[in-house]
Amino acid sequence: MADITAAAPRRRARRLNLRLWLPLLWLGTVALAALFAPLVAPHDPLMQDLMLERLPPSFMAGSEPGYWLGTDSLGRDVLSRMIHGARIALFVSVIAAATTCLFGSALGLVAGFFGGWWDRVISRLVDIWMAFPPVLFAVLLVAVMGTGLTSVIAAIALIDWTRFARVIRAETMVQARMDYVDSARIGGARRLATLISEILPNVLPSIIALLMLEMGIAVIVEAILSFVNLSISSDDPTWGSMIAEGRNAIHFAWWVLLFPLIALFLTVLSFSTLGEGLKQRFDPVLQ
Amino acid sequence: MLLKTTLIRLLTTAVTLFGVAVVVFVLVRVAPGNPIAMMLPPGATEADIAALEALYGFDKSLPEQFVIWLGGVLQGDFGTSITLRRPVDELVLSRLPATLELSIMALVIAVALGTAIAVIGARRRGTATEVGLDLSSGAVLSVPDFLWGLVFVLLFGVLWPVLSISGRIDPQIEVDFTSNFYTFEGLLRGRLDVVQSTLSHMLMPALALALPLAAMIAQLLKQNLKEVLLQDYTTLARVRGFSETSVILREALRNALLPTLTLVGVQFTFLIGGTVIVERIFSYEGLGNMAIDAVINRDLPLIQGIVLLFAALFIVINLLVDLSYTLLNPRLRHG
């Protein structure tokens, strides 16, 4: 018996670590690339050179030295555009996810804890919001607010707050029935103080997991909006606009689609794995 | 009691639908850019602009416009598309079949794939196969349909070009059908060339839409199967000499299915929402593709019509899921 209980947590801990470190390694690389983009990018991401158009990546015949991942239809370096694209991807994911999280979690906490009319109004809003197809809603909002990064971030927050509101509301309702909440109230704590100092710490693991998930989603939404040419100007390097270009030139230069796609894939996967890993690590019940 | 809960549910549905109509109307009306100015050639007179504004009802106050618009919608009149100059309901209904066929095909793939993986996982529980299936369905789940669509474009459009990556049907094929349900009507009329062409065009976008849902079904159904397989009646079936596979298929699957059904119902709306971007990737002539064009062209009446239709579809599906769950689960009938 002693052997089993001693061995089991150790094996789990090792798997958890891998699940934390692999995503962190990739996201760290992306973050460094984003921070030092002008230093690490081998070429100017905007420089067009029609003599160098549609060069294949360096492992293929016909490639040009110095253009490791090839060039697009306008002769722009794919690797440099990806490195600069990481800036926009990370910027949107951090700012949009944080805004969405603040907004949605606050509404979820209020609805779950105060109940009554608060809950009725917020829940009805969530119902109405959930009736819109998210991608169409995002496209529509950006069209209304005008293209640009601010609109993209606002659109993400305006659409995805429901994800936080729903989950946090449900968890808050569970927590609000716990004995420790009653003890705090008997101890003389005010309602709002109880919510912030007693309930918030207990729903925090879920908020962190959702925040990670939302960062991945924000990267995707930005890419989708760039793909339909509604994010920032199409000349600026974003993974989504590269993908749109690659999709159009698919029969001539598939690498323009492949490499940003891999970057998006790994980023989304990393955020969701990290979210799961962090949730397990911080959740006192699961430990 | 059942009647009362149903009535309350219907009432809240009506409130939600009204809220959706308000949101759509407000959003579209605050959009900048004058669509009327874009319709007229440069050099049009003030009087021309005023006449056209009156024609589309843009000269009235916003609440008035809302009442007129909602009144029309309730009678099935969604206005006229500004760019395509045809009634919105006609345009929307001509594209709806393409999107519905795609969504249904994706749903069928998701359920079949998800169930198969769940059964294999439950059959091989406790082995490396189960761990492998769990890990891969976890990864598949966290990657959205947008990326899967692009992956398939690369795989089957470039690397191994066996499927067409754009359109709904081979343009060489002549289709003189009464409806736009090419697959269904093709089957009824025995036009197998049409069916074959539409199915091969739909396969990749449908698979892209289906993968995340398939992974979700696989995870939940396997969990439920494993719980059911610990019950006494499955042990009894084993004692009676049934093999483990037939115990799963004959006894366990039926009882593990109910929670999965609810999940499928709710997730089906997300799948339909995903068609918007997936249709764009594959240049598939459905509603979603039309919606994005409408947004880019600022075609207000068309946007309103499409968004409203999608929303109504979502709300009705959710309502049906809720009601059928109440009917199927005796414990909730008096709740």
Side-chain angles (χ1 to χ4, degrees), chain B residues 18-82:
Chain B
F18 182 76
V20 165
V22 172
V23 172
V24 171
F25 183 82
V26 169
L27 264 182
V28 169
R29 284 310 141 111
V30 295
N34 186 346
I36 296 294
M38 282 166 48
M39 289 171 65
L40 289 165
T45 62
E46 292 284 324
D48 287 340
I49 296 176
L52 207 57
E53 276 184 345
L55 183 67
Y56 283 99
F58 289 154
D59 56 339
K60 299 195 173 64
S61 74
L62 277 184
E64 268 182 295
Q65 285 187 36
F66 179 70
V67 171
I68 294 171
W69 174 70
L70 195 66
V73 164
L74 290 177
Q75 293 166 28
D77 174 15
F78 289 80
T80 310
S81 157
I82 293 174

Side-chain angles (χ1 to χ4, degrees), chain A residues 124 127-128 130-133 136-137 139-141 143-144 220 224 243 247 250 254 257-258 261 264-265 268-269 272, chain B residues 12 16 19 24 27 30 32 139 142-143 146-148 150 153-154 158 165 277 281 291 295 298 303 307 310-311 314:
Chain A
R124 184 62 48 225
D127 278 353
I128 294 173
M130 300 284 292
F132 291 101
L136 186 54
F137 204 9
V139 171
L140 183 58
L141 280 174
V144 167
I220 290 291
I224 288 177
I243 283 175
R247 169 67 182 86
I250 182 103
W254 49 264
L257 173 57
L258 177 67
L261 185 58
L264 267 178
F265 217 90
V268 172
L269 216 51
S272 73
Chain B
T12 49
T16 309
V24 171
L27 264 182
V30 295
S142 42
V143 175
F146 174 61
L147 293 187
W148 288 122
L150 293 163
V153 165
L154 274 173
V158 178
I165 53 170
I277 194 67
I281 296 173
V295 169
R298 304 205 170 284
I303 300 172
V307 176
F310 267 116
F314 281 24

Side-chain angles (χ1 to χ4, degrees), chain A residues 94-173:
Chain A
V94 171
I95 306 287
T99 320
T100 315
C101 174
L102 275 178
F103 190 45
S105 304
L107 287 174
L109 282 167
V110 167
F113 187 66
F114 292 112
W117 276 105
W118 285 105
D119 188 28
R120 243 166 278 169
V121 171
I122 293 172
S123 298
R124 184 62 48 225
L125 274 179
V126 169
D127 278 353
I128 294 173
W129 248 245
M130 300 284 292
F132 291 101
V135 174
L136 186 54
F137 204 9
V139 171
L140 183 58
L141 280 174
V142 173
V144 167
M145 294 184 287
T147 53
L149 275 191
T150 327
S151 301
V152 171
I153 290 167
I156 293 171
L158 280 173
I159 293 164
D160 265 353
W161 64 271
T162 54
R163 190 190 315 275
F164 288 85
R166 268 183 309 149
V167 177
I168 302 305
R169 169 184 173 267
E171 297 223 346
T172 307
M173 285 172 98

